[in-house]
Amino acid sequence: MSNRFETLLRRLALLGLAAALLATVGVCVRPSAAMAAPRAAEASAPPPRATHTAAAKARAAAKARAAAKVRATARANAAARNRGMRIVAFAKAQKGKPYRMGSKGPRAFDCSGLTSYTYRRADLKLGRTANHQYHQARRIAGKTVRPGDLVFWVRGGHAYHVGVYAGAGKVWHAPKPGDKVKLAKIFDRGRVKYGRIGR
């Protein structure tokens, strides 16, 4: 065998060995890189416990806000009911005072004069006439009326009489000339509308 041929064989053997080595290294490198990507993603993600804690804190904060809103609403409703009872008490204190057209107290009243007077004592401002007060008030259903609300007698969209709801289907009002401020059953219910000032 000639030296040239032996040299060629050795070169081919070396090339084959190098190719085999490269193939082996490539196989090892590729899985390593593929395995490194999930590890990097896992490292960047927040720990499961931290995520759970943040969600629990968010839920607790939402519950606390809802509870605070319920408490605030309950306080506001209680304050409105107390104010209504004060309005009724102020109206009752005018019992027996004479009706006088255009009078708004304290010695005599017409119907809207009585309501504006009692509301003013409770730090609420009303318009001067029954119709002004009717359009100022927020309409409420009869089943939701409470002491201190306004009771209007309405014809053709115009309120011609007003009183202070006292509870149990009764009203404090200044009825008409020759009469006095008194507590009476709500009459002519077909023309009655209810209104509320404030909450």
Side-chain angles (χ1 to χ4, degrees), residues 102-140:
S103 294
K104 51 185 180 178
R107 292 183 176 84
F109 298 94
D110 64 7
C111 66
S112 57
L114 176 65
T115 52
S116 62
Y117 178 81
T118 56
Y119 266 65
R120 190 166 60 250
R121 296 288 300 275
D123 298 320
L124 292 171
K125 188 175 181 180
L126 287 180
R128 177 61 191 92
T129 69
N131 197 51
H132 287 158
Q133 294 174 11
Y134 176 63
H135 290 288
Q136 179 183 351
R138 174 166 51 93
R139 306 291 183 275
I140 56 173

Side-chain angles (χ1 to χ4, degrees), residues 158-175:
H158 180 88
Y160 59 89
H161 187 58
V162 62
V164 175
Y165 185 68
K170 295 183 178 180
V171 63
W172 282 104
H173 69 146

Side-chain angles (χ1 to χ4, degrees), residues 51-96:
T51 302
H52 177 73
T53 303
K57 285 181 178 178
R59 286 193 297 271
K63 285 182 179 179
R65 287 193 297 271
K69 186 175 180 179
V70 168
R71 289 193 298 271
T73 300
R75 285 194 298 269
N77 288 339
R81 284 192 295 271
N82 290 337
R83 184 176 59 205
M85 296 307 294
R86 291 200 311 274
I87 290 169
V88 172
F90 295 144
K92 183 179 179 180
Q94 313 315 311
K95 180 180 178 180

